[in-house]
Amino acid sequence: MTENAQQQPPAPNTELPTQYAPADVEGPLYERWVERGYFEADEKSDKPPYTIVIPPPNVTGSLHLGHAFEHTLIDALTRRKRMQGYETLWQPGMDHAGIATQNVVERELGKEGKSRHDLGREAFVERVWQWKAESGGQISGQMRRLGDGVAWSRERFTMDEGLSQAVQTIFKRLYDDELIYRAERIINWCPRCLTAISDIEVEYQDDEGELVSIRYGEGDDSIVVATTRAETMLGDTAVAVHPEDERYAHLVGREIELPLTGRRIPVVADAHVDPEFGTGAVKVTPAHDPNDFEIGQRHNLPAVAVMDEHAVITAHGPFQGLDRLEARSAIVAALRAEGRIVAEKRPYVHSVGHCSRCKTTIEPRLSMQWWVKVGPLAKAAGDAVRDGRVKIHPQEMEKRYFDWVDNLHDWCISRQLWWGHRIPVWYGPNGEVVCVGPDDEAPTGEGWHQDTDVLDTWFSSGLWPFSTLGWPEQTESLAKFYPNSVLVTGYDILFFWVARMMMFGLYAMDGTPPFHTIALHGMVRDQFGKKMSKSFGNAVNPLDWMDKYGSDALRFTLARGANPGVDVPIGEDWVQGSRNFANKIWNATRFALMNGATVEGELPDAARMSATDRWILSRLNSVVAEVDALYEDFQFAKLSDALFHFAWDEVFDWYVELSKTTFQAGGEPAEVSKRVLGEVLDVTLKLLHPVVPFVTETLWTTLTGGESVVIAEWPKDSGFRDKAAEQEIESLQSVITEVRRFRADQGLQPGQRVPARLTLDGTALAPHEAAIRQLLRLQPEGENFTATATLPVAGAEVALDLSGTIDVAAERKRLAKDLAAAQKERQQAEAKLGNEAFLAKAPDQVVEKIRTRLTKAEADIARIESQLAKLPLA
């Protein structure tokens, strides 16, 4: 069916230990793969390209189950394509992770009693690079443990020289095209990280707070507003009402007193206000709320900032110097003392934004920042999917993508950090602003200085598919490997990362999208479907499971749960089950080698094969075709399941067992079956290799003598099918399964021999009598044979003599007792389900449980009656 490129004979079986020990195998194997350059990619090759970039893990991180899951899927895709003859590039690298990395190093400094300001910017950045050199390689080592087939010689870092040049280039181009601008707007500010963060870096959760209603003004000129952030009232510059709200028509255009401040503020009419919500009037704080900022712009209201970067009150008066939460309670108390509090509701549960990194409550803040005008970029990103240039898989995820890119706000890209790509803009002493490209000379002289902010981490990672290939230089790698074939990533960063890569790729690469397909996967959860978290106590270090069960076991478990776009539950017992599967592959291959399985010579003609041989080859070709189709549809769970059941059930539990009698008999049929078994194992190990690379490499090289399965040819469906052989073996399986079930029902031990008469004449089962007797432990019938039980199965008849093997009377008594219990259970269930009053009152789940009991009772009755009928008369 497939050609074997190797010419040397199989390695001696003595090279295969009696037990598989992953810890002894995995590390040396991986280093051998790397040393031989199997994972490297050659841009000069005439092979078709297949490119995937790694979603760059944070340099601060370590391998967690989410990484292990995603890397397993990518590795499976790239290993298969490499075997199919593609010039395969899995591009590795790491992200500098601006805020996260700066926080880590600042915490280390804190242990020394220092802050970054004690070091100064230059020394602090140098300290971060030092930390990166010492700690940044941790995740690379863990990737090796997992078996990641990445091109290590091409490893990139988002702050290395080449990528920094790419960042500066695209910033300059966007700036010159007026797609980057600087403006004062409301941003999400983290008082802990002391930087702006983007909308998608804000996590919303329901918090308990308070809702207070405050009376502004006096008498007929008074108006009541409600707020959950009383401290911001110090920065109010208006009260807004709806233009058509007659209740407040007399106040529009007039000024009322703002309590506690001595200021008077106007009442303005604005259509943004919902007259049906609350009192129909809202306080307007342009410096501390995005909606209020827009109202302020429309009505030329001043923006009064009342908090500093630490969210400490700066407004003059008794509240100055208080933290925002301290000020909130102090201001409410002061308003209450003046009789200004009309109503208070606490606790008041409402949605509050938090920094996704440090969980601090976000503070909306008016700030001068750099922005990307995303309108035209987002439209291009949406059009690329709409016109079919980029496919999203699964397709139902397209709606989420469009909901995002079609409604994008301009992107705040500046961060008030020291670690990251510094914004390449210089300011002069007379208000000059100069954006500097990578080939430009920065202005010098007195009064010139560079912008102190750095770029959002997602700005540089958005360039990843082409910056890693040498852009803006027109390199051979860029020509060969761009665009990427597929992007494999979690749906959770569809907006963070995927949309940005789409926008930048289309912009920088003249309308060519960064990838042909976006394959989205779900999140790894615990076995009960709960999110994994250290705080929940259910987080798992994948290295622990790899140490205990082997990397293949973890990989296979993750792949078996990988349905497109769906979250993946995982538990340790499932990893243990996958370890058992690896052991099964090992033991079955070892048995096959001991019995002479070989890949030497051409595969015999079908006419020389037994039905068992033709059946397994027919099934093998069907599985090759099925696995190929599932790979193309990113159905990792289904393809893994198909391989599991084919390998364990059909190859190991049936073909190997059925072949034992052939091997024992010897002669030409045995030689044919040895070659067929070798072929089946050769192909099966290749099919399994992308998901479980270590055990398959060890077994395949031992079986075939080949150099490595990593570079072996991927199996092809030869088109061989033999439906007659498949039906014949299905009948054989039915006989063996039915008799085994009957033996178990009668309490016979698996190895206990029973006299039997087989009536197979005239059926396709006649050639299989020896195998049936061996697998079922059936002796020849003998002179005193008495058929105490007869089983008609698949057109054949198996008569068993159970006299002397079981106590028929005792067995009938036991079964009669079980039958009575099942009949009583059925009677009780039928009575309840026939009671209309009960059905009217009982919860649905109770009724359903009783229906399930009835179904089980009926099945038990049928089974027991069948067993009684098969027993000889006492």
Side-chain angles (χ1 to χ4, degrees):
M1 180 179 136
T2 60
E3 293 185 6
N4 276 291
Q6 71 285 341
Q7 298 298 319
Q8 62 193 88
N13 183 55
T14 53
E15 293 185 7
L16 205 57
T18 56
Q19 290 184 326
Y20 177 49
D24 297 337
V25 169
E26 293 174 352
L29 265 189
Y30 187 84
E31 292 309 313
R32 189 182 313 153
W33 291 335
V34 172
E35 288 167 7
R36 293 179 178 179
Y38 293 155
F39 305 140
E40 296 302 324
D42 181 5
E43 58 270 9
K44 300 182 187 300
S45 166
D46 58 2
K47 296 178 182 179
Y50 186 80
T51 315
I52 296 181
V53 293
I54 196 171
N58 289 352
V59 69
T60 59
S62 59
L63 194 72
H64 56 65
L65 272 180
H67 287 126
F69 172 55
E70 186 168 76
H71 291 200
T72 294
L73 305 188
I74 299 175
D75 197 41
L77 289 174
T78 52
R79 283 180 183 269
R80 172 174 173 262
K81 285 295 183 180
R82 189 178 295 111
M83 295 172 74
Q84 286 183 314
Y86 286 79
E87 193 61 37
T88 302
L89 170 60
W90 182 9
Q91 173 66 53
M94 285 183 288
D95 192 282
H96 66 278
I99 296 177
T101 305
Q102 180 157 321
N103 283 347
V104 168
V105 178
E106 286 197 80
R107 282 197 297 270
E108 292 299 312
L109 283 175
K111 295 176 184 177
E112 302 170 14
K114 298 178 182 178
S115 73
R116 61 182 163 120
H117 301 286
D118 294 324
L119 271 66
R121 183 169 194 146
E122 187 175 335
F124 176 77
V125 171
E126 185 178 334
R127 179 72 175 260
V128 181
W129 276 108
Q130 179 185 343
W131 178 88
K132 187 261 180 187
E134 295 171 355
S135 305
Q138 180 181 359
I139 201 163
S140 298
Q142 294 167 340
M143 288 166 60
R144 292 170 182 266
R145 281 289 312 276
L146 191 65
D148 286 3
V150 298
W152 286 112
S153 69
R154 294 172 176 263
E155 187 174 13
R156 304 303 298 268
F157 179 55
T158 51
M159 287 278 287
D160 67 29
E161 184 177 349
L163 271 66
S164 295
Q165 183 182 18
V167 168
Q168 198 171 352
T169 299
I170 201 163
F171 187 100
K172 171 71 170 171
R173 291 187 187 179
L174 289 164
Y175 181 86
D176 289 346
D177 287 344
E178 298 184 347
L179 293 173
I180 282 183
Y181 63 94
R182 192 171 185 239
E184 190 176 42
R185 291 187 178 179
I186 294 288
I187 47 90
N188 304 299
W189 181 264
C190 176
R192 161 62 184 80
C193 297
L194 297 179
T195 181
I197 64 175
S198 64
D199 291 342
I200 53 178
E201 293 170 298
V202 178
E203 293 179 349
Y204 287 90
Q205 66 185 47
D206 287 340
D207 286 358
E208 284 190 1
E210 60 181 354
L211 180 68
V212 293
S213 297
I214 309 168
R215 178 172 53 83
Y216 288 13
E218 301 293 343
D220 292 339
D221 288 350
S222 68
I223 195 166
V224 175
V225 299
T227 181
T228 58
R229 302 169 66 222
E231 68 279 10
T232 63
M233 68 159 290
L234 300 176
D236 286 358
T237 56
V239 171
V241 298
H242 194 274
E244 298 176 3
D245 193 334
E246 295 181 358
R247 293 173 295 175
Y248 305 116
H250 67 290
L251 289 176
V252 173
R254 298 172 62 180
E255 291 187 341
I256 60 175
E257 182 186 350
L258 177 64
L260 306 181
T261 66
R263 288 193 288 118
R264 295 183 68 79
I265 58 176
V267 177
V268 299
D270 194 279
H272 170 76
V273 180
D274 180 1
E276 302 299 321
F277 182 77
T279 64
V282 296
K283 58 193 286 299
V284 182
T285 321
H288 293 281
D289 184 274
N291 294 321
D292 293 2
F293 176 79
E294 297 297 332
I295 294 174
Q297 293 285 296
R298 289 193 287 272
H299 297 277
N300 296 315
L301 300 173
V304 178
V306 296
M307 285 183 232
D308 67 10
E309 60 185 5
H310 297 281
V312 171
I313 300 298
T314 58
H316 294 295
F319 312 108
Q320 186 175 4
L322 294 179
D323 172 79
R324 55 182 166 169
L325 298 181
E326 295 172 332
R328 182 177 300 171
S329 57
I331 287 170
V332 170
L335 290 167
R336 190 183 299 114
E338 291 190 4
R340 295 281 181 179
I341 301 296
V342 176
E344 297 180 67
K345 182 178 181 181
R346 65 169 64 87
Y348 179 73
V349 178
H350 61 129
S351 181
V352 178
H354 296 260
C355 174
S356 62
R357 289 178 175 82
C358 70
K359 311 310 176 186
T360 301
T361 300
I362 290 301
E363 190 62 47
R365 187 172 189 242
L366 186 63
S367 180
M368 183 68 75
Q369 301 285 344
W370 285 94
W371 305 80
V372 172
K373 186 183 295 182
V374 300
L377 302 175
K379 182 181 184 303
D383 290 345
V385 175
R386 287 190 170 94
D387 64 25
R389 281 176 290 157
V390 178
K391 305 287 186 186
I392 292 181
H393 191 279
Q395 190 174 1
E396 54 265 28
M397 287 286 182
E398 281 187 2
K399 182 180 184 302
R400 296 181 65 173
Y401 177 79
F402 291 135
D403 286 346
W404 181 255
V405 298
D406 293 347
N407 297 286
L408 270 179
H409 299 295
D410 284 1
W411 172 20
C412 177
I413 55 171
S414 46
R415 299 290 181 267
Q416 289 63 57
L417 305 171
W418 287 355
W419 172 245
H421 294 282
R422 195 164 174 181
I423 288 176
V425 172
W426 270 254
Y427 305 105
N430 300 311
E432 302 95 333
V433 178
V434 176
C435 181
V436 177
D439 299 324
D440 301 332
E441 289 291 332
T444 57
E446 187 176 350
W448 283 94
H449 65 280
Q450 186 178 358
D451 197 299
T452 57
D453 288 351
V454 301
L455 288 163
D456 177 11
T457 298
W458 298 104
F459 190 94
S460 52
S461 60
L463 314 181
W464 192 248
F466 51 93
S467 63
T468 52
L469 298 172
W471 187 91
E473 302 297 325
Q474 297 304 306
T475 64
E476 288 183 291
S477 288
L478 189 65
K480 177 75 173 180
F481 296 114
Y482 187 91
N484 284 202
S485 306
V486 62
L487 173 75
V488 179
T489 192
Y491 62 71
D492 57 316
I493 56 173
L494 181 61
F495 316 130
F496 285 86
W497 190 45
V498 180
R500 280 144 171 67
M501 286 191 290
M502 286 286 283
M503 291 191 295
F504 283 166
L506 289 160
Y507 173 80
M509 301 300 293
D510 300 320
T512 302
F515 17 74
H516 297 302
T517 302
I518 301 168
L520 298 170
H521 59 71
M523 311 296 291
V524 178
R525 297 182 177 273
D526 71 13
Q527 59 188 319
F528 305 108
K530 190 175 181 180
K531 181 180 178 180
M532 285 193 171
S533 166
K534 289 181 180 178
S535 60
F536 294 156
N538 62 350
V540 173
N541 183 345
L543 292 175
D544 293 340
W545 282 352
M546 286 192 279
D547 287 343
K548 195 170 183 180
Y549 303 111
S551 298
D552 285 333
L554 177 63
R555 290 171 60 115
F556 193 70
T557 305
L558 291 166
R560 256 191 118 178
N563 290 297
V566 178
D567 288 345
V568 183
I570 184 172
E572 184 171 1
D573 54 338
W574 303 345
V575 185
Q576 185 175 355
S578 295
R579 189 270 313 274
N580 295 343
F581 178 52
N583 289 342
K584 183 78 170 181
I585 301 170
W586 183 274
N587 293 332
T589 305
R590 186 169 178 273
F591 168 83
L593 289 168
M594 291 171 63
N595 283 275
T598 181
V599 296
E600 289 299 299
E602 295 294 323
L603 196 62
D605 187 78
R608 295 171 56 199
M609 296 180 190
S610 67
T612 308
D613 294 331
R614 297 195 306 278
W615 159 71
I616 197 63
L617 289 176
S618 180
R619 287 293 305 127
L620 180 66
N621 275 283
S622 295
V623 169
V624 170
E626 181 183 7
V627 167
D628 273 335
L630 291 170
Y631 260 117
E632 295 304 315
D633 199 34
F634 305 101
Q635 297 282 357
F636 296 97
K638 290 182 179 179
L639 72 89
S640 298
D641 210 49
L643 286 170
F644 173 86
H645 287 293
F646 175 71
W648 192 307
D649 300 343
E650 298 186 76
V651 178
F652 304 146
D653 278 359
W654 282 108
Y655 183 69
V656 169
E657 289 300 312
L658 289 171
S659 298
K660 286 180 179 178
T661 53
T662 306
F663 293 153
Q664 289 171 1
E668 185 185 6
E671 296 307 309
V672 170
S673 290
K674 289 175 184 178
R675 180 63 186 87
V676 170
L677 179 54
E679 182 76 8
V680 171
L681 288 174
D682 175 18
V683 173
T684 302
L685 291 170
K686 287 176 181 175
L687 292 174
L688 284 165
H689 173 73
V691 181
V692 284
F694 293 107
V695 68
T696 51
E697 169 81 341
T698 306
L699 295 174
W700 187 85
T701 52
T702 303
L703 171 71
T704 68
E707 180 184 338
S708 173
V709 71
V710 175
I711 55 172
E713 183 181 349
W714 181 256
K716 295 183 178 68
D717 174 12
S718 71
F720 178 80
R721 301 290 190 279
D722 192 326
K723 293 301 179 185
E726 290 191 34
Q727 291 173 0
E728 181 174 327
I729 301 305
E730 284 173 9
S731 296
L732 175 59
Q733 290 171 331
S734 297
V735 170
I736 293 171
T737 301
E738 183 61 27
V739 176
R740 279 177 172 168
R741 184 181 297 118
F742 177 75
R743 287 176 56 108
D745 288 343
Q746 305 311 312
L748 297 177
Q749 295 300 314
Q752 189 173 351
R753 294 198 167 273
V754 177
R757 180 175 62 239
L758 306 184
T759 306
L760 308 175
D761 294 343
T763 74
L765 297 174
H768 302 287
E769 179 168 353
I772 292 172
R773 287 190 177 277
Q774 179 167 319
L775 292 175
L776 292 173
R777 304 295 190 269
L778 301 180
Q779 297 176 180
E781 50 193 279
E783 293 182 5
N784 300 318
F785 179 82
T786 302
T788 57
T790 303
L791 307 175
V793 187
E797 187 177 271
V798 179
L800 302 174
D801 182 356
L802 301 180
S803 57
T805 60
I806 62 170
D807 185 336
V808 176
E811 184 63 15
R812 279 191 171 279
K813 185 177 180 181
R814 183 184 70 80
L815 290 173
K817 183 179 179 181
D818 290 348
L819 180 61
Q823 289 170 334
K824 182 178 180 181
E825 177 74 5
R826 178 178 65 181
Q827 182 181 10
Q828 291 175 342
E830 286 176 338
K832 287 187 176 180
L833 293 173
N835 185 332
E836 294 296 335
F838 170 77
L839 293 176
K841 295 179 181 178
D844 291 344
Q845 61 267 29
V846 173
V847 175
E848 185 58 34
K849 187 174 181 180
I850 293 172
R851 288 199 179 105
T852 302
R853 284 170 51 193
L854 176 60
T855 301
K856 182 179 183 302
E858 289 175 337
D860 287 343
I861 290 168
R863 175 180 55 82
I864 296 167
E865 288 178 341
S866 174
Q867 290 176 236
L868 283 167
K870 292 172 184 175
L871 279 175
L873 296 174

